[in-house]
Amino acid sequence: MDKVIVLIGAPGAGKGTQARLLQERRGIPQISTGDMFREMKTLETPLAREVQEIMVSGKLISDDVTYQVVRERTSREDCENGYVLDGYPRTAIQAAQLEELAKEQAKDIQAIEVHVPREELMRRLTGRRSCPVCGEIYNIHSKPPKIDGVCDLHSEAELIHRADDFEEKVAVRLATYDELTKPLIDYYETLGRISKVEGSGDLETIYSEIERLVMK
Ligand code: AMP
């Protein structure tokens, strides 16, 4: 598998969960720009502080900064045989930058749209919690941890409710998605490089469908 898998979908569509499963079960590295930016939180640099402020607002980090991060990460050895991008590209410029990068890396791009109805997204996002240690994602409505507020695998870790998963920030993120990222679906459609998967319903069914597309 020598390709770049692009998972496209609104915030809360389950891209992260599915990308993590592909990594666990198929060994395909999950490259999440959101996770990488969140990791910068601990750095005390002006750029890290700026990234932090933008993320909390629900808006997007600049295309060039994002590209540098993606470029550096995907140049590492584990990405040699392909990788899954979760949350990238998110703008037309990022999509163009990714074309160049994939060409340099001699990889084809395959996009998969994970579609979830709007009403469900808000519920999913505001109910989302994650483990600060392993990144496991829970949902207080649909996938609660065994003990309230604590990771099943790390009993010492209190689950995090992301600052941008509160209702008014979610509204900004969904609007940003509609305006800047959703048009990429048409872009990849024109290129004949996108398949659509229904992202509501049983997690394993959704995963099987995505895995089938990835491995074909
Ligand atoms: P996510 O975890 O994918 O929802 O990303 C969380 C936040 O990180 C977004 O709301 C943006 O502020 C930032 N971010 C993640 N990916 C990108 C990207 N491809 N371009 C710009 N900003 C991004």
Side-chain angles (χ1 to χ4, degrees):
M1 203 219 52
D2 206 6
K3 51 190 176 182
V4 178
I5 308 291
V6 169
L7 294 184
I8 297 189
K15 304 182 298 294
T17 303
Q18 295 295 336
R20 284 168 66 82
L21 287 174
L22 280 172
Q23 176 168 279
E24 271 166 38
R25 299 181 186 177
R26 288 289 173 171
I28 309 168
Q30 172 207 14
I31 311 300
S32 159
T33 41
D35 284 352
M36 290 191 287
F37 286 137
R38 272 184 289 281
E39 277 163 21
M40 287 174 73
K41 210 163 37 181
T42 49
L43 303 176
E44 276 299 317
T45 64
L47 177 65
R49 270 193 292 275
E50 193 188 323
V51 162
Q52 193 52 29
E53 268 170 39
I54 297 172
M55 282 182 85
V56 170
S57 76
K59 297 192 180 135
L60 295 183
I61 313 296
S62 81
D63 292 329
D64 287 335
V65 166
T66 308
Y67 182 61
Q68 291 314 318
V69 169
V70 171
R71 189 188 175 81
E72 191 282 319
R73 177 64 190 85
T74 62
S75 307
R76 294 192 209 156
E77 207 183 334
D78 63 335
C79 291
E80 242 167 42
N81 298 321
Y83 50 89
V84 184
L85 289 172
D86 154 21
Y88 187 88
R90 261 166 142 112
T91 66
I93 291 174
Q94 291 182 11
Q97 288 172 323
L98 179 63
E99 291 294 327
E100 289 304 309
L101 184 64
K103 206 186 288 172
E104 258 176 51
Q105 296 174 339
K107 290 181 176 44
D108 292 329
I109 295 172
Q110 179 188 0
I112 299 174
E113 180 197 352
V114 185
H115 177 263
V116 170
R118 189 49 57 105
E119 355 23 295
E120 205 180 315
L121 291 172
M122 188 60 96
R123 203 173 117 86
R124 284 194 185 188
L125 286 164
T126 54
R128 180 159 70 177
R129 305 289 184 271
S130 62
C131 173
V133 179
C134 65
E136 183 66 17
I137 299 164
Y138 297 90
N139 190 288
I140 55 169
H141 310 293
S142 56
K143 190 192 168 198
K146 293 194 183 96
I147 302 166
D148 207 21
V150 182
C151 179
D152 292 350
L153 308 169
H154 299 92
S155 55
E156 75 285 8
E158 199 174 317
L159 296 182
I160 291 175
H161 186 181
R162 276 169 49 176
D164 57 350
D165 275 346
F166 287 85
E167 206 166 326
E168 70 277 18
K169 305 297 185 206
V170 167
V172 175
R173 290 163 67 205
L174 291 175
T176 305
Y177 172 77
D178 286 341
E179 187 196 345
L180 299 172
T181 311
K182 212 170 166 194
L184 299 185
I185 294 172
D186 290 339
Y187 166 79
Y188 285 118
E189 231 154 42
T190 310
L191 297 171
R193 290 212 220 118
I194 193 163
S195 319
K196 181 172 171 168
V197 168
E198 272 312 322
S200 38
D202 173 55
L203 201 100
E204 289 295 338
T205 312
I206 302 162
Y207 175 74
S208 306
E209 178 64 5
I210 292 177
E211 194 191 63
R212 186 183 65 76
L213 291 166
V214 168
M215 302 315 285
K216 107 175 156 185

